């Protein structure tokens, strides 16, 4: 019986791992725009594409409805959440509220290791931004990764795992719009990050919060200027 239980537990762990991998892949495909806003999510097609059962897919899609990345249509199934100007502005406002609060907590509690993480994250982001500014447009998706890493580093000392998790969800929803716009903002965003970096090391909460507000609103304006929504 002990061996049977051990095998059962092992199979559960494998199943959970496969389900989590599929969840991350589907979520990533929505954020990246590979699964497009408003697209019907047909379970049989997804089963083939992601290699998981229909029941697992239902669990994943229901989970993604809690992040507003998927819409459940009752008996008609699921679809990717639509993109709209109003939703972009709402997500931007939510990000600003969460990130401003986390900045204040993080700047107050951050130690030398936190500073080192911020320095490292900004160095990596700055390197990618230099490449983009030099004309290497293929680095846009990579920039999204390092952009999040930098903003996460800034707030990582806030002391709340729940706040960090909610912030990541909102950040990804905001970045989905950047990827739908398929356009890097240029010098402005790079200068914003340099200023946020400086203000973080100086522990200037008010200055960083003001810069963050400008940063997010400029991002929204840039996305809308592309005309791709």
């Amino acid at each position: 019986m002990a061996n049977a239980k051990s095998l059962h537990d092992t199979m559960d762990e494998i199943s959970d791992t496969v389900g989590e991998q599929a969840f991350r892949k589907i979520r990533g495909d929505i954020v990246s725009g590979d699964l497009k806003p408003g697209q019907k999510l047909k379970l049989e097609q997804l089963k083939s594409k992601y290699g998981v059962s229909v029941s697992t897919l239902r669990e994943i899609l229901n989970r993604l409805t809690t992040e507003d990345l998927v819409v459940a249509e009752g008996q008609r199934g699921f679809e990717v959440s639509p993109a709209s100007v109003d939703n972009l502005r709402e997500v931007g406002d939510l990000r600003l509220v969460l990130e401003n609060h986390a900045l204040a907590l993080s700047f107050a509690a951050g130690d030398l290791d936190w500073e080192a993480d911020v320095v490292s994250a900004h160095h990596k982001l700055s390197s990618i931004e230099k490449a983009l500014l030099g004309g290497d447009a293929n680095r846009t998706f990579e920039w999204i990764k390092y952009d999040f890493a930098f903003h996460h580093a800034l707030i990582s000392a806030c002391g709340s795992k729940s706040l960090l998790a909610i912030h990541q969800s909102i950040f990804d929803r905001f970045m989905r719009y950047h990827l739908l716009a398929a356009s890097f903002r240029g010098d402005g965003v790079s200068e914003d990050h340099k200023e946020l970096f400086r203000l973080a090391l100086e522990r200037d909460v008010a200055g960083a919060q003001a810069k963050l507000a400008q940063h997010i609103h400029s991002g929204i304006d840039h996305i809308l200027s592309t005309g791709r929504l």
Side-chain angles (χ1 to χ4, degrees):
M1 291 297 292
N3 287 338
K5 185 176 186 300
S6 176
L7 177 61
H8 178 74
D9 290 345
T10 300
M11 292 305 294
D12 279 348
E13 289 174 5
I14 293 171
S15 177
D16 287 345
T17 300
V18 171
E20 281 301 310
Q21 289 174 347
F23 170 78
R24 289 193 296 271
K25 177 62 176 168
I26 294 171
R27 189 180 186 281
D29 285 348
I30 292 172
V31 172
S32 71
D34 186 53
L35 293 172
K36 302 185 183 307
Q39 180 177 334
K40 301 292 183 184
L41 296 171
K42 298 179 180 179
L43 296 179
E44 287 302 321
Q45 292 178 0
L46 296 180
K47 177 183 175 182
S48 175
K49 181 175 181 178
Y50 296 103
V52 290
S53 68
V54 168
S55 61
T56 297
L57 282 169
R58 289 187 185 280
E59 290 175 8
I60 289 170
L61 296 178
N62 278 314
R63 187 174 165 187
L64 288 169
T65 63
T66 66
E67 293 191 69
D68 290 330
L69 290 171
V70 167
V71 176
E73 300 183 293
Q75 297 300 316
R76 294 186 297 170
F78 300 90
E79 69 174 36
V80 178
S81 293
S84 69
V85 174
D86 286 345
N87 183 251
L88 169 61
R89 295 191 186 282
E90 178 184 7
V91 171
D93 287 344
L94 284 171
R95 179 186 163 190
L96 183 58
V97 169
L98 291 168
E99 203 163 328
N100 267 346
H101 179 55
L103 278 175
L105 296 174
S106 192
F107 284 17
D111 57 12
L112 190 59
D113 288 336
W114 170 78
E115 286 191 9
D117 289 341
V118 171
V119 170
S120 175
H122 182 259
H123 173 71
K124 293 173 184 177
L125 176 60
S126 178
S127 296
I128 296 297
E129 289 179 338
K130 286 177 182 176
L132 284 165
L133 291 170
D136 188 358
N138 293 325
R139 308 292 288 276
T140 301
F141 192 79
E142 194 177 0
W143 171 74
I144 296 291
K145 170 186 171 183
Y146 287 111
D147 185 40
F148 169 73
F150 174 63
H151 284 276
H152 176 77
L154 291 176
I155 65 172
S156 61
C158 70
S160 171
K161 291 182 179 179
S162 295
L163 178 54
L164 290 173
I166 295 169
H167 172 262
Q168 181 173 357
S169 176
I170 295 298
F171 191 98
D172 285 350
R173 286 164 59 188
F174 188 75
M175 284 298 109
R176 180 169 80 124
Y177 282 95
H178 269 294
L179 290 165
L180 290 172
S183 177
F184 177 61
R185 184 153 62 90
D187 283 319
V189 71
S190 180
E191 291 302 316
D192 284 353
H193 287 144
K194 288 177 184 176
E195 185 67 2
L196 281 168
F197 174 62
R198 181 185 68 79
L199 292 164
L201 295 187
E202 293 178 359
R203 311 298 178 104
D204 183 345
V205 173
Q209 290 176 334
K211 174 52 67 175
L212 181 65
Q214 178 190 338
H215 179 65
I216 291 174
H217 291 142
S218 294
I220 291 171
D221 291 341
H222 174 74
I223 291 165
L224 295 178
S225 74
T226 67
R228 292 194 175 98
L229 285 191

